[in-house]
C-alpha cells in the first residue's frame, strides 16, 4: 500500500487494504484471548474506515456499499467479543462498550442501506442478491438494538422497540422478495418471528413494572 497509494492507484490500494483486513480476520482462528481478538478486529476496522471518507461515493458507489457492510460486520464482531467477555454482566463498563460498538455497527449498516436509492429499494425483488444483502443489514441492525442495555427503563424500551421494528421490516421484506419455501435467509426469518412476540412481551412487562413502582 506504500507503493500503490490511493492517489493514482485507487483500485489497487482498496484491494490491498481489504486483503490486509482479511489477513487479520484469518489470524483470529489462532487467537483465543478475547482482548487480542478485539484488537485484531479493530486493526481491520482502522484499515477500512478511512476509505469511506476518502472515496467519492458517486464514483466508487459499489466500493462504498461493500466497505460499509464489511465495517458493520467487523464492528458487530467486536460487540460479540465484548458480550462474551462480559459473561452476562450488565455492569456500566461492559454496557457502555457494547452500546457504543452496537451504535457504530448500526451506523455502517444504515449507511449501506442508504446507498440504495428509494426507487431501486422498492423494486429490489428484481435484484435478489442485493435484496438478501439488505435483508441481512436490516437483520443485523435489529439484532444490535436488541443487544443494547440501559439502566433507564424508557431508554431500554426504546432499544427494544427499534429492535422489534427492525425484525418486522425484515419479515415484511423477505415475504415480498422471496418465495415462502425459499431456503435463503430461512434461519434468520425464523429468528425474527421468534423475537417479535418476545420483544413485545418484554416491552409490555417493563412498562407494567414501571407503572407498579
Amino acid at each position: 500500500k506504500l507503493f500503490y497509494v490511493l492517489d493514482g492507484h485507487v483500485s489497487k490500494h482498496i484491494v490491498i487494504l481489504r486483503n490486509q483486513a482479511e489477513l487479520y480476520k484469518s489470524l483470529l482462528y489462532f487467537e483465543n484471548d478475547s482482548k487480542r481478538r478485539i484488537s485484531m478486529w479493530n486493526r481491520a476496522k482502522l484499515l477500512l474506515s478511512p476509505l469511506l471518507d476518502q472515496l467519492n461515493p458517486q464514483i466508487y458507489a459499489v466500493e462504498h456499499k461493500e466497505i460499509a457492510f464489511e465495517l458493520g460486520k467487523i464492528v458487530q464482531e467486536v460487540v460479540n467479543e465484548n458480550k462474551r467477555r462480559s459473561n452476562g454482566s450488565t455492569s456500566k463498563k461492559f454496557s457502555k462498550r457494547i452500546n457504543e460498538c452496537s451504535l457504530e455497527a448500526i451506523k455502517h449498516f444504515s449507511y449501506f442501506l442508504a446507498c440504495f436509492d428509494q426507487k431501486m429499494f422498492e423494486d429490489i425483488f428484481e435484484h435478489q442478491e442485493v435484496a438478501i444483502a439488505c435483508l441481512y443489514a436490516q437483520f443485523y441492525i435489529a439484532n444490535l438494538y436488541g443487544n443494547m442495555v440501559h439502566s433507564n427503563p424508557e431508554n431500554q424500551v426504546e432499544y427494544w422497540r427499534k429492535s422489534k421494528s427492525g425484525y418486522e421490516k425484515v419479515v415484511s421484506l423477505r415475504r415480498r422478495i422471496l418465495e415462502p419455501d425459499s431456503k435463503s435467509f430461512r434461519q434468520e426469518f425464523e429468528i425474527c418471528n421468534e423475537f417479535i412476540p418476545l420483544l413485545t412481551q418484554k416491552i409490555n412487562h417493563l412498562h407494567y413494572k414501571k407503572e407498579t413502582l
Side-chain angles (χ1 to χ4, degrees):
K1 71 180 180 182
L2 295 177
F3 181 80
Y4 292 109
V5 295
L6 191 63
D7 186 13
H9 302 279
V10 178
S11 297
K12 289 181 179 179
H13 187 80
I14 294 169
V15 169
I16 290 168
L17 289 180
R18 294 182 77 176
N19 285 343
Q20 283 185 303
E22 284 299 319
L23 283 172
Y24 279 120
K25 294 180 195 177
S26 299
L27 287 171
L28 288 162
Y29 179 79
F30 305 99
E31 185 56 71
N32 293 320
D33 183 78
S34 60
K35 289 182 77 173
R36 291 198 187 99
R37 289 176 64 84
I38 289 171
S39 178
M40 287 183 188
W41 283 118
N42 283 330
R43 288 180 186 181
K45 181 185 77 171
L46 288 172
L47 284 168
L48 300 178
S49 55
L51 291 172
L52 293 181
D53 293 322
Q54 295 166 343
L55 299 175
N56 186 326
Q58 294 181 331
I59 299 172
Y60 298 98
V62 172
E63 287 80 2
H64 260 257
K65 293 168 187 174
E66 291 175 349
I67 292 167
F69 192 90
E70 197 169 345
L71 281 167
K73 289 281 291 175
I74 287 170
V75 182
Q76 186 179 43
E77 289 299 332
V78 176
V79 173
N80 293 336
E81 292 290 350
N82 276 304
K83 282 176 65 182
R84 281 190 282 271
R85 286 193 71 205
S86 72
N87 197 26
S89 169
T90 55
S91 68
K92 285 186 178 181
K93 181 179 77 171
F94 282 113
S95 295
K96 184 180 179 183
R97 285 179 187 172
I98 291 168
N99 290 353
E100 286 177 352
C101 291
S102 294
L103 288 173
E104 185 181 354
I106 287 166
K107 181 187 76 172
H108 290 306
F109 287 128
S110 297
Y111 177 71
F112 168 79
L113 292 170
C115 286
F116 300 97
D117 64 57
Q118 192 59 40
K119 185 179 184 303
M120 198 287 282
F121 200 81
E122 288 170 358
D123 298 332
I124 210 165
F125 56 88
E126 296 178 3
H127 314 270
Q128 194 168 92
E129 286 185 8
V130 176
I132 291 173
C134 289
L135 275 172
Y136 273 107
Q138 187 63 67
F139 176 79
Y140 294 144
I141 289 171
N143 184 259
L144 286 158
Y145 273 123
N147 285 331
M148 293 173 70
V149 178
H150 205 287
S151 57
N152 185 305
E154 290 182 0
N155 290 341
Q156 186 63 66
V157 165
E158 186 61 24
Y159 292 152
W160 287 341
R161 279 180 177 156
K162 287 181 177 180
S163 180
K164 179 188 170 189
S165 174
Y167 286 128
E168 287 170 342
K169 286 178 184 176
V170 173
V171 169
S172 175
L173 189 58
R174 187 192 185 277
R175 285 174 176 161
R176 185 154 61 88
I177 64 175
L178 295 174
E179 295 296 326
D181 58 348
S182 173
K183 293 182 179 179
S184 298
F185 205 76
R186 178 177 288 279
Q187 185 177 0
E188 292 79 6
F189 182 66
E190 291 173 355
I191 290 171
C192 291
N193 284 319
E194 288 175 9
F195 270 66
I196 290 168
L198 178 62
L199 285 164
T200 302
Q201 186 179 13
K202 289 174 77 172
I203 291 166
N204 291 338
H205 175 73
L206 198 56
H207 265 308
Y208 174 77
K209 186 177 178 181
K210 181 185 172 187
E211 287 170 4
T212 55
L213 290 176

